[in-house]
Amino acid sequence: MLNAERRPSMAERRPSFFSPGPDGSIQASPLVVPHLAGIEDPLPETTPEKVDVVIAGTGLIESILSAALAWQGSSVLHIDSNNYYGDTWATMTIDQIKNWTEKINEETSEPKFYKDAKLYVSGLVAQGKYKSKNFGIDLSPKILFAQSDLLSILIKSRVHQYLEFQSLSNFHTFENDNFEKLTNTKQEIFTDQTLPLLTKRNLMRFIKFVLEFEKNTDLWEPYAKKPLANFLVDKFKLEKPQVFELLFSLGMCRNLDTKTPEGLARIRRFLTSFDVYGPFPVLYSKYGGPGELSQGFCRSAAVAGATYKLNHKLVSYDPNSQTAFFEDGSRARVTEKVVMSPTQHPPNSGNIPDQKYEVHRLTCVVEKDCSQWFSEGENAAMVVFPPDSLSSGNRESVQVLILGSGAEVCEPGTSVWYLSTIQQGPQGNLDLDAALDAMITSILRESSEIPEDDDLVEIGANGIPLVNSVKLGKSFKELIFKEQVNFIMKLYYTQYTSTPPFDVVTPDLFDLNKSNEFMPGASDNGILYTPLPSGEISYDEVITAAKLLYEKIVGSDDDFFDIDFENDEQDIRNNATNIGTFDENAIADDDDDDIRMMDSETVEFAGEMEI
């Protein structure tokens, strides 16, 4: 077994299309998930002698590209030097995180893709109270807006049938030592007793405007080169709390420098995603984030004929003979291109794109369910710390994604906190620590596990602890909690990427050397390098990057996932030899074009629903 310590894969979690019922009769179940080589099925013994494209790295962008090419008709050999899927987008168990941390800290060669990884794991894991494989930790956590290119492709490609999604509607902004829940719907705005009537009117006027702001250029064009905050104050008379909510919770902007048109586009992204599938704007996948999506697209590519091999490293590529050479001594002739994640580069490669942008990350698994931060029936929340809201004097916002056990990424009674900032240098970690301290104070204050006033103590003027009699909800800057938050795991690391922080995604972000025939950083060796995950919390970059690569290989992106599944059952069965035994009933018509809510919180997309 390539990966003995791992979380169950999607194929193992979800049943076959037909399965025995309690009485022995055959009953319909959700669509079967095809097996992946190296996880459920053994790896192929041989490497194909000739393929159109070799893709090294099973990250999300590479996996989307692999599926798009395979369905277009290209023969694809998709490999990964790791023994797991996902590469820099992977979802890992705690033990896998330990191995990953050791590996990157031992790495001495340049360029660096990660550095300064510091890991703490509680002894409770070694003692068996918590099992490593019951945790799914994302290296690059992301959220999925309901109105997005990626969600459209998930539905169009039917990859959504391999996944399960849940809703996220709770967004909090840290202001004045408190977390303020985002007010973003008409009903919430009208019923909010803390908002003056004039502020409510101005907010409603802005929301109506931003949905079609591109048609009202006369109003915002004079501010096109100015920060959005100036526009919101001058034209809509909004106060700082509303400006920060719009910028940092709705827009998910990183700092106050975001220009007006870009900021308006980001706020519109949030508002147009609301109520697409329900009263929430954002989704995330159960069991893990980008790592699960990567597997989904790999499975789709495998069904379409792609060959998969893990623990398979490309050591060199000869552009003259168009031959790829692998570590095990095998080789393959490549008729089109070699596509590669920078992390999978051959030894002595001197043409790798410059990974000059930093993303500082802090991932914590805590012994608290943090349900106080979730909406009813949900298992996730976003917390945003705007610039200058932390004791560290942060210049960039700190964004936090919180996932509870209902997301199937941690055990009951625990939660996972993903903190990130694009602040460069040592200040980034200072900001993360300050944000973590604020979160700990907040969850202790709001926790229902503090039933009595004497669970809090106050420091008097002479430094002597006094019994506290204040109620929850007041300022706790000078209070000490008897209860503390226990960490099951805490991981710091700095991630590098060639993708600059962006406000609105464009192809230029991923094509830094436009004069070259190849991708950014590529020379005459015929290798196209893919971008590593950026600091953007959404998935906005992935389809743009994948389509750019696809166009460089095929010549046009017109048929990118232009798939007709109506009469493809036999073709898929014919290709099933690439992925092992394929259920005869795996492909079935699904006439239900609705979205079903599973277990009160899971969103399942059925049929070929259009967004």
Side-chain angles (χ1 to χ4, degrees), residues 54-58 77-81 309 312-314 326 344:
V54 171
I55 301 178
T58 53
L77 171 60
H78 198 171
I79 66 173
D80 200 308
S81 61
K309 297 192 78 172
H312 201 60
K313 185 174 180 61
L314 177 70
F326 303 99
Q344 309 266 327

Side-chain angles (χ1 to χ4, degrees), residues 144-395:
L144 178 63
F145 280 94
Q147 194 77 279
S148 63
D149 290 343
L150 177 56
L151 191 47
S152 298
I153 293 296
L154 283 167
I155 294 170
K156 187 176 182 180
S157 65
R158 293 193 174 181
V159 170
H160 70 274
Q161 293 179 328
Y162 305 152
L163 303 164
E164 294 180 22
F165 291 89
Q166 292 186 321
S167 59
L168 193 167
S169 64
N170 245 16
F171 288 72
H172 303 266
T173 306
F174 186 76
E175 276 288 316
N176 300 320
D177 200 34
N178 278 292
F179 292 105
E180 300 295 340
K181 185 179 181 297
L182 181 63
T183 303
N184 56 68
T185 67
K186 292 181 181 179
Q187 182 179 359
E188 289 175 336
I189 292 173
F190 281 128
T191 58
D192 190 337
Q193 299 299 316
T194 66
L195 291 178
L197 180 59
L198 182 59
T199 301
K200 292 181 180 181
R201 287 176 178 172
N202 290 338
L203 269 175
M204 292 304 303
R205 191 161 60 93
F206 172 75
I207 289 174
K208 182 179 179 180
F209 156 79
V210 76
L211 292 174
E212 296 184 335
F213 77 91
E214 289 171 339
K215 297 180 181 179
N216 298 288
T217 55
D218 291 346
L219 188 63
W220 63 264
E221 272 195 343
Y223 290 82
K225 301 297 183 182
K226 299 179 181 179
L228 176 60
N230 294 9
F231 175 73
L232 295 174
V233 171
D234 293 349
K235 294 298 182 182
F236 291 92
K237 310 303 178 186
L238 294 174
E239 302 292 334
K240 179 182 176 181
Q242 288 73 49
V243 170
F244 274 31
E245 279 193 351
L246 291 170
L247 268 172
F248 301 111
S249 289
L250 269 74
M252 305 300 294
C253 300
R254 287 291 189 171
N255 53 52
L256 286 165
D257 295 330
T258 300
K259 300 298 184 287
T260 295
E262 290 81 6
L264 293 175
R266 291 178 72 91
I267 293 170
R268 183 178 60 185
R269 173 186 64 178
F270 183 102
L271 294 173
T272 56
S273 294
F274 211 89
D275 281 332
V276 172
Y277 296 117
F280 52 86
V282 165
L283 300 132
Y284 61 94
S285 55
K286 288 178 68 175
Y287 306 104
E292 286 292 288
L293 271 64
S294 297
Q295 278 197 48
F297 281 102
C298 286
R299 294 177 190 279
S300 177
V303 172
T307 300
Y308 277 85
K309 297 192 78 172
L310 298 180
N311 268 341
H312 201 60
K313 185 174 180 61
L314 177 70
V315 295
S316 65
Y317 175 67
D318 182 353
N320 297 317
S321 64
Q322 293 184 290
T323 303
F325 298 89
F326 303 99
E327 196 172 43
D328 64 355
S330 62
R331 63 182 64 186
R333 185 169 181 272
V334 183
T335 61
E336 295 293 341
K337 288 287 192 296
V338 172
V339 182
M340 181 180 301
S341 165
T343 61
Q344 309 266 327
H345 68 93
N348 303 317
S349 294
N351 61 329
I352 301 170
D354 186 10
Q355 312 295 319
K356 60 182 179 180
Y357 300 102
E358 295 180 5
V359 185
H360 291 268
R361 298 191 183 276
L362 168 57
T363 300
C364 303
V365 181
V366 301
E367 277 193 307
K368 271 195 173 296
D369 60 19
C370 296
S371 58
Q372 295 84 359
W373 285 333
F374 305 153
S375 291
E376 184 176 356
E378 292 190 350
N379 300 281
M382 282 293 305
V383 174
V384 178
F385 295 87
D388 204 30
S389 63
L390 293 167
S391 59
S392 59
N394 58 310
R395 297 187 296 275

